[in-house]
Amino acid sequence: MKLLILATLAALTLAGCNTIEGVGHDISGGARRVGTWF
């Protein structure tokens, strides 16, 4: 279930990015958030 939620959030976040730099920031931010879960 967590994987489904994470995948959905990632897809929505990536859809909102207009540049490659924006995608990099979003991926980094998501990785930091997921890292705090464990």
Side-chain angles (χ1 to χ4, degrees), residues 13-35:
T13 300
L14 291 175
C17 294
N18 292 326
T19 64
I20 298 298
E21 184 180 352
V23 172
H25 286 292
D26 289 342
I27 291 172
S28 297
R32 282 192 294 274
R33 284 186 190 251
V34 171

Side-chain angles (χ1 to χ4, degrees), residues 1-18 21 25-27 29-30 32 35-38:
M1 185 65 177
K2 283 185 181 180
L3 182 60
L4 178 61
I5 293 170
L6 181 61
T8 302
L9 289 174
L12 291 173
T13 300
L14 291 175
C17 294
N18 292 326
E21 184 180 352
H25 286 292
D26 289 342
I27 291 172
R32 282 192 294 274
T36 63
W37 292 353
F38 300 103

